[in-house]
Amino acid sequence: MRSIPIPVDVSKLAITCVKAPRPRVLNRDTGEIKTDKNGNTVYEVTVSIEDEFGRIELVKIGITGEPPIKTGDQVNAVGLLGYVWEIAGRWGIAYRASALLPAREDADV
């Protein structure tokens, strides 16, 4: 079953990087790193997302290439998509963005 991407409206969200970008490891035993269909390294970034009601969640966002952000940065998640997945009765949402930029660079996008 293929998941259909769902666009995420980030206009009312405050996103903060809480763990620096790192390559996503597919296999901890072999150290195999995830790549996209073009062979580029996929990074994962742990962020806190606060909504307009003050609710906060920690999520990991996948992105191709190392984003120019660091721990503590307010982040602009460009093209953020959510993919609902289900395996053996468990489900969740995987997030992917086309770019993760420091909020101060928003005007350049």
Side-chain angles (χ1 to χ4, degrees):
M1 182 173 115
R2 186 139 178 107
S3 179
I4 298 172
I6 301 167
V8 177
D9 179 4
V10 297
S11 65
K12 295 182 181 175
L13 301 176
I15 304 172
T16 305
C17 176
V18 296
K19 191 170 185 181
R22 63 182 181 167
R24 181 166 179 209
V25 177
L26 280 180
N27 185 322
R28 295 185 198 283
D29 294 332
T30 66
E32 180 185 3
I33 301 295
K34 181 172 177 69
T35 56
D36 67 8
K37 62 184 174 187
N38 297 319
N40 299 309
T41 300
V42 173
Y43 282 76
E44 66 181 14
V45 182
T46 304
V47 299
S48 68
I49 298 180
E50 182 175 4
D51 68 16
E52 61 189 313
F53 305 106
R55 295 178 295 214
I56 299 173
E57 287 190 44
L58 289 177
V59 300
K60 290 182 181 177
I61 299 175
I63 182 165
T64 297
E66 186 172 5
I69 60 174
K70 62 186 182 319
T71 303
D73 282 350
Q74 294 295 308
V75 176
N76 177 27
V78 179
L80 185 61
L81 298 172
Y83 296 84
V84 177
W85 57 266
E86 183 177 354
I87 299 173
R90 295 180 50 210
W91 69 276
I93 302 173
Y95 293 95
R96 185 128 172 101
S98 57
L100 293 174
L101 303 171
R104 64 186 172 275
E105 293 183 11
D106 284 357
D108 299 336
V109 176

